[in-house]
Amino acid sequence: MSNDKQFVKEITPQGEDFSRWYIDVIKKADLMSYSPVRGCIVFKPDGYEIWENIQRELDSKFKETGHRNAYFPLFIPESFFQKEKEHVEGFNPELPWVTEAGGEKLEERLAIRPTSETMIGHMYSEWINSYRDLPLLINQWANVVRWEKRTLPFLRTTEFLWQEGHTAHEDEADARRETMQMLDVYRQFAEDFLAIPVIVGQKTPSEKFAGAIDTFSIEAMMKDGKAVQAGTSHYLGTNFAVAFDIKFLDRENQHQFAHTTSWGVSTRLIGALIMVHGDDRGLVLPPKVAPTQVIMIPIGPPKTRDQVIAKVDELYAELKKAGVRVKVDDRADQSPGWKFNEYEMRGVPIRVELGPRDMENGQVVLVSRVTGEKKTVQQSNFVEEVQNLLAEIHQQMYDKAKQFRDEHYIAVDTIDEFKTFLETKRGFALAGWCGSNACEEQVKQETGATSRNIPFTPTETKSTCLVCGDAAKHTVVFGRSY
Amino acid sequence: MSNDKQFVKEITPQGEDFSRWYIDVIKKADLMSYSPVRGCIVFKPDGYEIWENIQRELDSKFKETGHRNAYFPLFIPESFFQKEKEHVEGFNPELPWVTEAGGEKLEERLAIRPTSETMIGHMYSEWINSYRDLPLLINQWANVVRWEKRTLPFLRTTEFLWQEGHTAHEDEADARRETMQMLDVYRQFAEDFLAIPVIVGQKTPSEKFAGAIDTFSIEAMMKDGKAVQAGTSHYLGTNFAVAFDIKFLDRENQHQFAHTTSWGVSTRLIGALIMVHGDDRGLVLPPKVAPTQVIMIPIGPPKTRDQVIAKVDELYAELKKAGVRVKVDDRADQSPGWKFNEYEMRGVPIRVELGPRDMENGQVVLVSRVTGEKKTVQQSNFVEEVQNLLAEIHQQMYDKAKQFRDEHYIAVDTIDEFKTFLETKRGFALAGWCGSNACEEQVKQETGATSRNIPFTPTETKSTCLVCGDAAKHTVVFGRSY
């Protein structure tokens, strides 16, 4: 596809305009197109393939932890939203409504799902009768819609793709265990698969999910110092069980309301991994999620071309057999230099170069996208060297992202200190908070930053509120966010 | 989950009431639930897992044939439908409309996609500039909505899941090649994966896709003699290219309209495979698509129980390692007899029984769901025997379905002959057709049967129209359909 990328000549440097850089990169790397529908994007093949890799990995983790997939309707009757008060207040402003269908006006309006607690709650009330039916552990891969005012490709789109886990349990303890387990699945996934360090903690009441008792999140820092909430896990108590009558006969033959949870991650992860790892040359994709992990480029004059390509094909077959996602670019009508730039821009973790001199020496050159370093290795060791370098690149990317995060994450005592930090360095602040909505709101008004979460393992504990100076109830991470 | 199945005591015999049998089976086997939204079902885990297996297999076939996945918006602006005349006429009566969103009335109504030719056509016009961008080979896995009057779980639901391939080509020849290639992918998939024999052919003009030049289909026969259109592939000519301005510079630097195709299969395949293979005891799932291929049940008295279970676990591990989808049911609170019935009803292809006497003899018993035959095999040969039996069961199911189809598929010369056949035996009729809409319509009026397709390889060729007796232009398969 030639497409929109031809209109992006150069990538704006991150330091000049980070937002511009982001849009340049995702267009030039051909990950998405704007659609004619407000706030909706098209996930083009190179963007969608990142999501497919995310899905495959998470789906296997969900199944390992005992969950099964199901699929529930897109449409949610209006009356369902009325049943849980906080939920309707939270989501009502963002709902699109189907009012006509099949040539007739509907008796009851249907919302397009923004999330499925209500529909799934309704079904669970039919399915769950006894403690023997619990825990009920279901996940759904689906599209959802939220009519957002400001949108940004991948990070905040009107329609997006996600998974939503919905589980029901006999008691609070079991439901909380599930909530924490899935939060930890997300943390591990972010770190081990996306090479993104995250801050794990609990949302403050004002930032929790509409209808939840407690919301927990993993929060990642982008290269402009802003936060992306990369995954959430909610303990919903019996709120939805009461609203939808999810009752069961317990082991003592008494009727009880189930305790439910929900948890989700979405296609915003694609935006997050671009903003965490990308650089002025373009995308830098972590090896485990990269659609293409290795690009092989034959070099040298025309007379040795056939011979070089034959060797490249041989090495390609070895890598492929070992399960590495590898491609060869042997087009004659593009120069090696053009190709080097192209695949760097597309974020391919390893470039393999092979020319006539390498042929003579039985060698091959590996170039790391993240460090730019060249490494000459023996062809006899090729597969092992590539696999080792992929693992090394993952670790380097994680370390680099963590170092950046740590350098842009300070503890402050006062809101003024935070404001100075945001003006000079940008990033997150760790601060004490008295627990009042007023102080949280004032931070937002004065800094544009919201509480990200109350981290489980803060680097230090603060004793006074950054706004009012009263005794701190919690130590909170604040940051501007996407 | 205990769920709705407890309300289904017995499965209605197929011979008594096939429709009732179908509903009994899908409820009792826990594949779906009705939802509170008109015509929408919930795909429960045991039903959804069948779809996941279908997806995995087809997705790999699509990728092998050079296609990549992408994702396009759910919403389609009303003006898009107006651009292709036949398309709007075909789909307008079935569209649900979003008229309000985010608390405001929309300036332009948005349809929920019934299929995506229009949205994808719009995007392709932006992406395609040169013959170098062609062929463009994209597939989408998505939910779609059609506001159907009569619905039936899996076979015809308001919202359903499907894949839709959309490709663009330089010329008619290449687009037609693609159309036929994907039709053949579907045929192979139906036969080799679902064990469903299909009739491959071209739709008559009155039955083709709204906006297509030619539509091709694979048609399967259910056990009540009715047809299910199991997959379609359309050559769209330049209809959508003209409507959406999909133009490219060809090799002679001239502007040309692209030739496009689309092709799809949906969750109705789940309904088809149940109706093709099921029997009075319940589901019979073809081995390749069955979520559980082998169920292992320890038998015998309590005193040998631990020993038997230990052996079962050992054999289980061997099967699992060989990639067989296997489960053990070693619950002590259900009798072996109850379990036998349960897994027969759920359609598990092979039951493995192991008791104390088998232990002594180093043997194990395999029971085929399709023939009911018991086979005692050596434990040392266990994995190989299971794999052979799975392959054998696939072939037996295919042969059985084909035999049924052939026995219910006759050639007729006149519409009266067809009517007599439908009254006495039910099934498909092969007949000559003059090509007029009037005669096709008369068949429908008098028999309730529609033309299924014009088969590529009819068992015989008919020379006169079954209605008017004029010279036949085509030999057509007629049948009542879902």
Side-chain angles (χ1 to χ4, degrees):
Chain A
M1 274 173 266
S2 72
N3 58 57
D4 319 326
K5 78 171 195 277
Q6 61 194 337
F7 302 109
V8 184
K9 289 247 157 36
E10 300 276 342
I11 295 172
T12 308
Q14 291 185 332
E16 191 179 311
D17 183 342
F18 190 80
S19 305
R20 194 64 244 158
W21 167 86
Y22 177 67
I23 298 295
D24 287 353
V25 164
I26 59 178
K27 299 278 282 183
K28 198 163 180 191
D30 213 15
L31 303 187
M32 56 71 68
S33 273
Y34 291 105
S35 89
V37 181
R38 184 182 162 288
C40 292
I41 62 168
V42 176
F43 295 79
K44 294 185 81 171
D46 285 341
Y48 193 79
E49 204 170 336
I50 294 174
W51 182 239
E52 288 181 287
N53 291 344
I54 288 173
Q55 282 190 298
R56 193 180 316 113
E57 176 72 9
L58 276 178
D59 198 68
S60 80
K61 298 282 175 223
F62 297 158
K63 283 173 179 162
E64 276 169 28
T65 45
H67 304 83
R68 299 186 71 194
N69 291 325
Y71 187 77
F72 297 83
L74 170 71
F75 299 118
I76 300 182
E78 181 163 19
S79 55
F80 280 36
F81 280 97
Q82 310 302 335
K83 293 191 182 184
E84 216 293 332
K85 196 174 144 284
E86 280 189 19
H87 196 67
V88 65
E89 282 172 11
F91 284 104
N92 226 9
E94 294 180 355
L95 298 177
W97 292 101
V98 174
T99 58
E100 301 161 27
E104 290 176 7
K105 207 163 149 43
L106 298 179
E107 283 183 27
E108 180 178 14
R109 298 196 301 174
L110 299 171
I112 308 295
R113 67 179 159 223
T115 179
S116 301
E117 278 76 8
T118 57
M119 175 59 73
I120 293 178
H122 175 90
M123 297 313 304
Y124 280 12
S125 75
E126 286 186 15
W127 298 348
I128 295 170
N129 297 298
S130 149
Y131 71 90
R132 288 186 199 84
D133 304 325
L134 300 175
L136 180 52
L137 308 174
I138 285 182
N139 176 63
Q140 165 170 272
W141 292 96
N143 54 341
V144 285
V145 177
R146 297 177 187 177
W147 215 258
E148 303 276 3
K149 287 210 173 58
R150 292 174 313 116
T151 60
L152 187 62
F154 299 120
L155 284 169
R156 191 176 295 274
T157 53
T158 302
E159 181 187 7
F160 56 95
L161 303 176
W162 80 345
Q163 60 68 218
E164 46 181 326
H166 294 270
T167 68
H169 305 261
E170 282 185 69
D171 55 32
E172 174 165 355
D174 199 49
R176 285 196 178 272
R177 203 158 29 234
E178 166 80 7
T179 309
M180 288 302 133
Q181 174 186 248
M182 299 324 288
L183 186 68
D184 201 54
V185 165
Y186 291 155
R187 177 195 60 75
Q188 264 192 48
F189 171 76
E191 294 175 355
D192 298 347
F193 199 76
L194 304 179
I196 298 179
V198 289
I199 297 169
V200 186
Q202 179 168 359
K203 288 284 186 184
T204 61
S206 72
E207 295 284 332
K208 75 182 167 63
F209 177 76
I213 300 288
D214 291 322
T215 288
F216 304 89
S217 72
I218 55 171
E219 304 278 340
M221 185 187 286
M222 307 298 103
K223 275 195 174 166
D224 61 352
K226 285 168 81 172
V228 165
Q229 177 180 290
T232 51
S233 185
H234 316 291
Y235 168 60
L236 305 171
T238 56
N239 287 354
F240 286 88
V242 169
F244 290 90
D245 202 35
I246 311 175
K247 269 197 299 227
F248 66 98
L249 274 179
D250 71 10
R251 288 160 203 266
E252 276 74 49
N253 220 30
Q254 300 295 308
H255 279 287
Q256 299 280 356
F257 285 110
H259 290 251
T260 67
T261 83
S262 66
W263 30 275
V265 302
S266 75
T267 36
R268 71 184 336 217
L269 285 177
I270 300 171
L273 70 89
I274 295 165
M275 284 193 177
V276 166
H277 298 300
D279 65 21
D280 285 347
R281 284 176 298 150
L283 291 181
V284 185
L285 293 176
K288 291 182 195 174
V289 77
T292 303
Q293 296 175 310
V294 175
I295 182 73
M296 301 186 69
I297 300 173
I299 52 179
K303 61 174 179 181
T304 57
R305 196 177 148 73
D306 288 352
Q307 213 187 337
V308 167
I309 287 181
K311 180 48 102 180
V312 164
D313 287 345
E314 192 188 311
L315 294 171
Y316 163 85
E318 284 180 27
L319 264 195
K320 185 125 188 137
K321 200 178 152 199
V324 176
R325 295 189 292 271
V326 54
K327 280 189 181 159
V328 172
D329 188 345
D330 58 7
R331 286 177 292 177
D333 60 344
Q334 296 287 4
S335 70
W338 183 90
K339 292 178 188 174
F340 295 176
N341 286 332
E342 179 71 7
Y343 294 102
E344 280 185 355
M345 183 273 289
R346 290 175 180 268
V348 177
I350 298 178
R351 177 172 82 231
V352 173
E353 302 172 8
L354 188 91
R357 209 170 49 200
D358 302 309
M359 295 280 288
E360 282 167 31
N361 300 335
Q363 293 177 331
V364 59
V365 177
L366 313 185
V367 188
S368 159
R369 172 65 179 90
V370 67
T371 62
E373 284 166 11
K374 289 196 175 201
K375 191 178 178 189
T376 303
V377 304
Q378 292 304 310
Q379 288 170 7
S380 54
N381 258 349
F382 180 59
V383 171
E384 200 189 333
E385 293 279 2
V386 165
Q387 285 171 328
N388 289 345
L389 185 54
L390 286 171
E392 203 176 295
I393 288 174
H394 171 87
Q395 193 56 46
Q396 285 167 337
M397 289 181 74
Y398 178 82
D399 292 346
K400 204 170 163 180
K402 182 150 189 314
Q403 190 185 343
F404 180 89
R405 202 269 316 273
D406 292 345
E407 284 170 6
H408 294 79
Y409 182 18
I410 63 155
V412 300
D413 290 315
T414 65
I415 193 167
D416 287 336
E417 229 181 296
F418 186 22
K419 281 154 79 173
T420 309
F421 168 71
L422 285 175
E423 279 158 21
T424 54
K425 192 149 186 192
R426 80 195 183 280
F428 297 168
L430 190 71
W433 173 55
C434 64
S436 80
N437 284 342
C439 287
E440 196 179 355
E441 185 57 30
Q442 193 167 334
V443 173
K444 198 167 167 180
Q445 293 301 327
E446 291 193 27
T447 66
T450 50
S451 70
R452 302 318 311 151
N453 66 25
I454 301 163
F456 292 155
T457 52
T459 45
E460 58 185 287
T461 303
K462 288 290 182 180
S463 57
T464 58
C465 177
L466 81 165
V467 180
C468 66
D470 285 355
K473 243 172 134 169
H474 302 288
T475 300
V476 173
V477 182
F478 290 95
R480 292 173 182 160
S481 79
Y482 280 101
Chain B
M1 272 173 269
S2 71
N3 56 58
D4 319 327
K5 77 169 194 279
Q6 59 194 339
F7 301 111
V8 184
K9 289 247 158 36
E10 300 278 341
I11 296 172
T12 307
Q14 291 186 333
E16 191 180 313
D17 183 342
F18 191 80
S19 304
R20 195 63 245 158
W21 167 84
Y22 177 68
I23 299 296
D24 287 352
V25 165
I26 59 177
K27 298 280 281 185
K28 198 163 182 192
D30 213 16
L31 303 186
M32 56 71 68
S33 274
Y34 291 105
S35 89
V37 181
R38 184 183 162 289
C40 292
I41 61 168
V42 176
F43 295 79
K44 295 185 79 170
D46 285 340
Y48 193 79
E49 203 170 336
I50 294 174
W51 182 239
E52 288 181 289
N53 291 345
I54 289 174
Q55 282 191 298
R56 194 180 315 113
E57 176 71 10
L58 276 178
D59 198 68
S60 80
K61 297 283 176 224
F62 297 158
K63 284 173 178 160
E64 275 169 26
T65 43
H67 304 84
R68 299 186 69 193
N69 290 325
Y71 187 78
F72 297 83
L74 171 71
F75 300 117
I76 300 182
E78 181 163 20
S79 55
F80 279 37
F81 280 98
Q82 311 301 335
K83 293 190 182 182
E84 215 292 330
K85 195 174 146 284
E86 280 188 20
H87 196 67
V88 66
E89 282 174 10
F91 283 105
N92 225 10
E94 296 179 355
L95 298 177
W97 293 102
V98 174
T99 58
E100 300 161 27
E104 290 176 8
K105 206 164 151 44
L106 297 179
E107 283 183 27
E108 179 177 14
R109 300 195 299 174
L110 298 172
I112 309 294
R113 66 178 159 221
T115 179
S116 302
E117 279 76 9
T118 56
M119 176 58 74
I120 293 178
H122 175 91
M123 298 314 303
Y124 280 12
S125 76
E126 285 186 15
W127 298 349
I128 295 170
N129 298 298
S130 149
Y131 70 89
R132 288 187 199 83
D133 303 326
L134 300 175
L136 181 51
L137 307 173
I138 285 183
N139 175 63
Q140 166 170 271
W141 291 97
N143 54 342
V144 285
V145 177
R146 297 176 187 179
W147 214 258
E148 303 277 3
K149 287 210 172 60
R150 293 175 312 117
T151 59
L152 185 62
F154 298 121
L155 283 170
R156 191 177 296 274
T157 52
T158 303
E159 181 187 7
F160 56 96
L161 304 176
W162 79 345
Q163 60 69 217
E164 47 180 325
H166 294 270
T167 68
H169 305 261
E170 282 184 71
D171 55 32
E172 175 167 352
D174 199 49
R176 285 196 177 272
R177 202 156 32 232
E178 166 81 7
T179 308
M180 289 301 131
Q181 174 186 250
M182 299 323 288
L183 185 68
D184 201 56
V185 165
Y186 290 156
R187 177 195 61 75
Q188 264 191 49
F189 171 75
E191 295 175 355
D192 299 348
F193 199 75
L194 304 180
I196 298 180
V198 290
I199 298 169
V200 186
Q202 179 168 358
K203 288 284 187 184
T204 61
S206 73
E207 295 285 331
K208 73 182 170 62
F209 176 76
I213 299 289
D214 291 322
T215 287
F216 304 89
S217 73
I218 55 171
E219 303 280 337
M221 185 187 287
M222 307 299 102
K223 275 196 175 165
D224 61 352
K226 286 169 80 173
V228 165
Q229 177 179 291
T232 50
S233 186
H234 316 291
Y235 168 60
L236 305 171
T238 56
N239 287 353
F240 286 88
V242 170
F244 289 92
D245 202 36
I246 311 174
K247 270 197 298 229
F248 66 98
L249 273 178
D250 70 11
R251 288 160 204 265
E252 276 73 49
N253 221 30
Q254 300 295 309
H255 280 287
Q256 300 281 356
F257 285 111
H259 291 250
T260 67
T261 84
S262 66
W263 29 274
V265 301
S266 75
T267 38
R268 71 183 336 216
L269 286 177
I270 300 172
L273 68 91
I274 295 166
M275 286 193 176
V276 166
H277 299 299
D279 63 23
D280 285 348
R281 285 176 295 149
L283 291 181
V284 186
L285 293 175
K288 291 183 193 171
V289 77
T292 303
Q293 297 174 310
V294 176
I295 182 71
M296 302 186 70
I297 300 174
I299 53 179
K303 63 174 178 180
T304 57
R305 196 177 147 74
D306 287 354
Q307 213 186 337
V308 168
I309 288 181
K311 181 46 103 180
V312 164
D313 287 347
E314 193 187 311
L315 293 170
Y316 163 86
E318 284 180 27
L319 265 195
K320 184 124 188 137
K321 200 178 152 200
V324 175
R325 296 188 292 269
V326 55
K327 279 189 182 159
V328 172
D329 187 344
D330 58 8
R331 286 176 294 176
D333 59 345
Q334 297 288 4
S335 70
W338 183 91
K339 291 178 189 174
F340 294 175
N341 286 332
E342 178 71 8
Y343 294 102
E344 279 185 357
M345 183 272 292
R346 289 175 181 269
V348 177
I350 298 178
R351 176 173 83 233
V352 172
E353 302 172 9
L354 188 91
R357 209 170 49 198
D358 302 310
M359 294 280 289
E360 282 167 30
N361 301 334
Q363 295 177 330
V364 61
V365 177
L366 312 186
V367 187
S368 160
R369 172 66 178 89
V370 68
T371 63
E373 283 167 12
K374 288 197 175 201
K375 190 178 179 189
T376 304
V377 305
Q378 292 303 311
Q379 288 171 8
S380 53
N381 258 349
F382 180 59
V383 172
E384 201 187 331
E385 293 279 2
V386 165
Q387 285 172 328
N388 289 344
L389 185 54
L390 286 172
E392 204 176 295
I393 289 175
H394 171 87
Q395 193 58 45
Q396 286 166 337
M397 291 182 71
Y398 178 82
D399 292 344
K400 203 171 164 179
K402 183 154 188 309
Q403 191 186 342
F404 180 90
R405 202 268 317 272
D406 292 346
E407 284 170 6
H408 294 79
Y409 182 18
I410 61 155
V412 300
D413 289 315
T414 65
I415 191 166
D416 287 335
E417 230 182 296
F418 186 22
K419 280 153 81 173
T420 309
F421 169 70
L422 285 175
E423 279 158 21
T424 54
K425 193 152 184 189
R426 78 196 185 278
F428 297 169
L430 190 70
W433 173 55
C434 65
S436 81
N437 283 342
C439 288
E440 196 179 354
E441 184 59 30
Q442 194 168 332
V443 174
K444 199 167 166 180
Q445 293 301 328
E446 292 193 29
T447 66
T450 49
S451 70
R452 302 319 309 150
N453 66 26
I454 301 163
F456 292 155
T457 52
T459 45
E460 58 184 288
T461 304
K462 288 290 183 181
S463 56
T464 57
C465 177
L466 80 164
V467 180
C468 66
D470 286 355
K473 243 173 134 168
H474 301 290
T475 299
V476 174
V477 182
F478 289 95
R480 290 174 183 158
S481 79
Y482 280 98

